[in-house]
Amino acid sequence: MLRIAGLIALLGYGAALAQEPDRLQGRVLDHETRRPLAGAILRLPALQTGTFTDSAGRFELRISQFPQQLILAYAGYQDDTVEVHAAGTAEWLLRADYQAAAVQIEAAQSGTRIDRMSAMQVEILSAGELTKAACCNLSESFETNPSVDVNFSDALTGAKQIQLLGLAGPYTQITRESMPGIRGLSTGIGLDYVPGSWIESIQISKGAGSVVNGYEAVAGQINVELRKPFDQEWLHVNGYIGQGGRYEGNVAVNQSLNERWGMALLAHASRRTRTHDQNGDGFLDMPRTRQWNVLQRWRYSGPGGLEFQAGLHAMQDVRQGGQMGFHENLSPIGDPHQDHQDLYGLELRAAQAGAWSKLGYVFRGKPMTSIGLQLSASRYTQEAYFGRTRYEGEHRNGYANLIYQSIIGTTNHQYRMGMSLLYDQFGELFTSLPFSRREVVPGAFAEYSYQWPDKFSLVAGLRADRHNLFGWFVTPRLHARYAPDSKTVLRASIGRGQRTANVFAEYSGVMASSRIFSVPGSTAYGLQPEVAWNTGLTLSRDFRLDYRPGQVAAEYYYTWFTQQVVADLDASPQAIRFYNLEGPSFAHSVQVSASYEAVKRLNLRAAWKYQQVQVTYAAGLRERPFVPQQRGFFNAEYKTRSGWHADLTWQWTGSQRLPDTEANPEAYQRPAQTPGFMTVHGQLAKRFERLGLDLYAGIENALDYTQPQPIIAPGNPYGPYFDASMIWAPIFGRMWYAGFRWSLRRAE
């Protein structure tokens, strides 16, 4: 056995507000090569708890009081004990046990894992998981994950949307480092605005989340962590080229200005220049695009437990689609629109700018006691035309969240409490009709946590908010975890969520059709807020078979709405009607999954999902359209000791209900149900460790499956039957891509 070399550096005390101050985080590396060690064990004997490092060697460990003796162990390395005096960031180097060189033992951990100690069901996708696919933006980050489904919103914009627990993307609260992320008018297309190479990790929480993060989560929460200052990898460059004429470049630079200050710059630029019409319907299969995206951030770790972070962000995105002839006669992308009476064109321009800060202070000598303040402000604008339909929108957002955390008596009893303020100003113009509203929501919250080491934990939260348009409302949430043994975890949750729908932004894909938008009024569209309850039950079991690790898991979630904005596509194929729910609306979601290391360095994952989502429409209770009732998933990952990495993902999407088109002429009708279909993605990568270089090449939609006749009436786009929003499968066929990732690390 080995002994660990020792603690390299504790880079700061406390955590920056979004991170709890009782958490120690960092990396475990090989002393000679600085290779991340996945599956290293970190154990706190006094607290009877511990954790493992992920595929990037990273760990995060809750420590209830200091100082603590921390034991570190890894197969083929010496054990050691380190005394930890404060929360913060740490890095350890492990020395190999050369006396055991005749026997080689390797350990690995999947890039996707569930936080075993959390009372909430939190699935963590590491940076290693995100490199298994092209992962050019956040919407493509879930291609190798069975929990989140990704679909195209229409046949023209190329925008992708997610589904969680069978519910559309807007029902999932998407945050960036526990602060407002994609919401409001950016919901319809905002997933494309988070570059994949910027992402450090993603946390997926299904069902009710914490009241500290607000009241809007219905199906769950997706939190995105970006690259940080003080990271060991100070330079990262990524380049990508795809068969569809897509080019992308990303640069991430972080620098330690001194022992207190650090900064990071993240930059992105991408284009799609080629025009494709593989199905011969006269429309581009994918739009031409151009995007630039920049984020600058700073971090300060002060003496005595003071932490400060701040950042600035700016983005611009332009995309152009429609008929082929339209673009042959139109000026280059981004130039002012020129009218073409007989041709159908689409152009969408979006811009976003924002600033944020986090200030936190950890009270020395008081276990797990801290106070922090989160602040953010942003402005998002969008200008678009879909043929002769114009849509413009502006969304200004302000956010403040004050959090105080401490214990009651012992560290087994913890609490968080605070106040928040959410401000939204919306202004929209659809055709010639203006829509505007201002939302101001002050609120207060409290959350109690109980921890019985290893066996049981509970989180109970309650918040009260006052909406200037809808009045007072209360949000209760409860999570419980029970571990009957060291390998089994049972969780249960229940909670309430509330949100205000943005019908034009959330259904902007329907604008790529001749449908008329019908809304009851102007302020909040004349609609009530959406209110839903979610309850869930999950069970996971770790096992070892033939000395190799695996896990099986099962989960069930039930969501029911007491108020909902219904988008009715069935009443008429020439309209979409919005109205308040009158009757039941619910979603059942069942998922079973298994993962196992079948042979050395070959990891397999499989999952099956069943979803039943029904809504009461004007015609009665029916299945929600474009929601597959069943999904299948399989992923195989193989790594060699020489640096080769192969990944294969198979997905099966079951039948979906389509909106009713029986009122159309027979030539423009579509079947009530779609067929099921399969997609296969694969990637091969080679790691050159000494150069810090990864080369990769892959294929998307290897089976070349595409939706037949994706556009209704493409020959008459200004006629009454044109519809490019009935999309349930890929439009673009098989696509090859290649790229590189190059990184430089700090010297010891």
Side-chain angles (χ1 to χ4, degrees), residues 199-210:
I199 301 173
E200 183 180 76
S201 66
I202 301 173
Q203 295 88 45
I204 304 171
S205 303
K206 295 182 181 179
S210 170

Side-chain angles (χ1 to χ4, degrees), residues 55-56 109-113 123-133 135 140-146 200 605 633 635 637 639 645 647 649 683:
S55 60
Q109 188 176 18
S110 172
T112 301
R113 63 184 178 90
E123 186 176 1
I124 302 173
L125 279 63
S126 70
E129 178 71 13
L130 302 179
T131 62
K132 290 183 178 181
C135 192
E140 297 166 329
S141 301
F142 305 108
E143 290 185 354
T144 60
N145 181 272
E200 183 180 76
R605 281 190 295 154
F633 172 90
N635 176 262
E637 175 193 15
K639 295 181 179 180
H645 183 185
D647 193 88
T649 301
Q683 181 177 277

